[in-house]
Amino acid sequence: MTEYDLVIIGGGPAGLAAAVAARKAGLESILILERDNELGGILNQCIHNGFGLHTFREELTGPEYAGRFREQVQELRIPYKLNTMVLDLAADKTVTAMNGEDGLFCLHPKAVVLAMGCRERPRGALNIPGYRPAGIYTAGTAQRLVNMEGYLPGRNVVILGSGDIGLIMARRMTLEGAKVHVVAELMPYSGGLKRNIVQCLDDYGIPLKLSHTVVDIQGKERVEGVTLARVENGKPVPGTEEHYPCDTLLLSCGLIPENELSRGAGVEINPVTNGPLVSDTLETSIPGVFAAGNVLHVHDLVDYVSQEAAAAGENAARYIRSGGTGTGRAVPVRCDGGVRYTVPASVRLSDLDPEQTVTVRFRVGNVYQNKRILVYAGDAPIYRRKARVLAPGEMETLGLKAKDLLEHPEAEQILVTLEDA
Amino acid sequence: MFDVIIIGAGVSGCAIARELSRKKAGILVLERAEDVCCGTSKANSAIVHAGYDAKHGTLMAKLNVQGSRMMPQLARDLDIHYQVNGSLVVMMSPEDRPALVALYENGIQNGVEGLRILEREELRAMEPNISDDAVAALYAPTGAIICPFGLTFALAENAAKNGVQFQFDRQVTGLNRLEDHWEVITPQQTYAAKVVVNAAGVYSDEIHNMAAPDKMTIKPRRGDYFLLDKTTRGFVKNTVFQLPGKLGKGVLVAPTVHGNTIVGPTAIDLEDKDGTATTREGLEDVRAKCGIAVKGLPLNQTITSFAGLRAHEARHEFFIGEAAPGFVDCAAIESPGLSSAPAIGVMVADIVTNILHLEDNPRFDGTRKGILDPKTLSREEYAALIRENPAYGKVICRCETITEGEILDAIRRVPGARSLDGVKRRTRAGMGRCQGGFCSPRVMEILSRELGIPMSQVTKSGGNSRLILGTNKDSL
Amino acid sequence: MKKVNLICIGCPLGCPLVVEMEGSEIRSVTGNTCKNGDAYARKELTNPTRIITSTVRVTGGTLPVVSVKTASDVPKGKIFDCVRALKDLCLSAPVVTGQVVAADIAGTGADVIATKDIDKI
């Protein structure tokens, strides 16, 4: 088996952007491993528009966005293997993979980019009581059936969870002839983008019930109905039950980064994101193993995935060129004031180029209004920005100037926090 | 005319079928569901009880201990996942000691080997995650865990290999005694058999009442469970029970043969014999009790919850015997039914053999190979397998790394998988942490292709459990 | 004077817009971060339009359907007319991204184009 300097695990938006950026940074020897039968990952089933406003300055559908990257990969002659499942990643970066053509094989790259994406939280993890009939799908499974195979998994639909895929599927099912009766959301706010509530629910008169959950599923063979109830303090309120006859329950209740391979290799995981802890170069706790995209933390926009993955690809190329990781002290990035996590989790201050920008992405744990986002290096404020609305469904991005950080070389930590404006 | 019709393709029915296939006889198994292992056998604790619990002197106690002793050899013959992991009955309060000692003595009387009472320190050393409040425990080194689907499918496949026929979607609605045989009525067809065996699980009272002069009542007793991700592998090594006592009956925490952790069950008496819905109260009950005997159980790693029904009869005993001429009961098989299944098979087969004076089947082959799991092969063997059959290089279920080769094998076996759940229980495709989110559409495609049916006819578990209700825009 | 609240769908920011109207005349738009917000509000209150995405059947391809979109906005009220017009359409593989699948869909003036390549099997 030919060996490669860089192996990218996953040929979705993150893997493709990482590959393109690494090649553009001068790296010749790159291989993408993709488990599906085409490149593009989950974008291939996201046939709605709204992708690419940042990256391509136009509004594309998922398959078109994937197509743009696929073309670049092909133009740059970056090799890839489809229908290839990575079975194991070892701490020494040995990649064990398998497909029908090559059989079982091992690769020994100098660097790896983890770009495996995420999976949906299944019903079982939500502890919804009731029967286990046919007709309960995660929104993404239904999306694949409808958008790539042309099958309607149901005609009368209730959706639990107002994540973006759920909202998008409410519109898709409606436009394909199904009746979506209601979207229920456990939290008092939606987990999806506001514009998706407008154009996917409001446009079609689909009600969104906040602070509601499914308390029972009826039907022994196929779903026959679900019962919703209002939720207070995390518990359903007796007497608020409402019955909805339906044949389908779609779940859009959160995404979980797929880090089984990372864990197997011994990569340190952030319990908040379920993704690897990375430094500002997106390098994990294993030198030469980088991570980007939804495997690192769940993104709301694919454009940000592409940006992040491009940085990971460039950094991986630099790592291979220079033969190792920088030696600068890793200053931890901490969060407070409603910020749930940050990516990166540390910055190697002395390795920064004074002209560069350090991108920090984060999410908040609740809906906040009229806040100021503040970043401190040690005790010194180095960044502030007003934020009119912050919501858990939306990722925030800050660009910290390296030269501002470098003015505080002794800082024990970098703190990202919210304060009242 | 069949020599024997067995009603029910659960673990008892399949064990009986396999044992009877040692004899020269025409045997048919009728099952109301679409597949083997669709009732009590599919949703239980997946445990082979050592046999200390069932009251000494009962049939239950005798068959439990016999079954437990037969299981290691059976597992080897039939190539199924089985592991002797030991079991612990943990006592949480010193005042419960007489009950613990009584359990020990009952076990000794039943003939259970190696029973010992462990005190706190030894217990803690054996199971680091045991509760700090645990005082002592009854240790049964012969306690074991098993894949209940694997056992039932293996028994059925081995029976089929030796000539037993299976028919599914056949609900027996009537039994008529004619001069020298029984008429077995189903909506599709009426069958004739010299002997009828009732292995109908929670419905065994209804079948019994069709044939026998006395009446029986089975109360389905529901048990709710949580199944945790394989990230919890090794949380406990033994099956950890809680001694019924001051704090109630408790629930068990056990490893599964596949590396998950199972937690449960509740015991809720129902009227509905298909009432396998979990309830909020039931799941809350498990949640509240599971932390008593162990500490730090990571319930946030739950990948699914489910409920199963035990065929409970008020006398809490197995009913095995000829209840009417040519009608043999194997009724009220509740826990430890799975553990007892091999012994139940032998006992019922003996009864039937005596009624019919059956001769040995010289061609009987008691071995069966399971679905090849490429993960058990060496790297070289695995690579060679893929070269020979590339379907083993194509991963369909990512969470459990199940290949198309394994799924095709599951569908092409006799009796083979005909539904998503049938594939799942045979191969584990869809049984992992994403619970089929990624692989169900692919498995559905494979089923559609292999069975020669349109996608709209592919079901989750037979009957009306269709997965696809239409095509895009068909109603516009 | 009447105030109308809208959420801009121009981009994922989802700016909360406030439109001041005098009868059917728009006096002002506030709350937008960029000029697209202003334009969206004016259009949404006079002639709301949307891009539609859907699927069209394909025979002989690697997948049984291809994803499509309207190449330009169509009036909101015509969404279902457009989707219905795609119902009986069936393409033969190969299909290439950008290929016009249906011209002037439902009389809206917008073409429906494929958004994915479907190769022939």
Side-chain angles (χ1 to χ4, degrees), chain A residues 185-203:
Chain A
E185 167 60 54
L186 177 70
M187 304 306 286
Y189 49 81
S190 163
L193 297 170
K194 280 177 292 221
R195 74 171 196 155
N196 283 337
I197 294 173
V198 174
Q199 59 184 0
C200 298
L201 302 188
D202 297 352
D203 273 5

Side-chain angles (χ1 to χ4, degrees), chain A residues 130 137 141 152 155 220 222, chain B residues 272 278 437 466-467 469-470 474:
Chain A
Y137 290 95
T141 306
L152 272 184
R155 298 197 180 279
K220 290 176 183 178
R222 176 81 198 191
Chain B
D272 182 357
T278 55
R466 290 184 304 138
L467 291 152
L469 298 188
D474 62 358

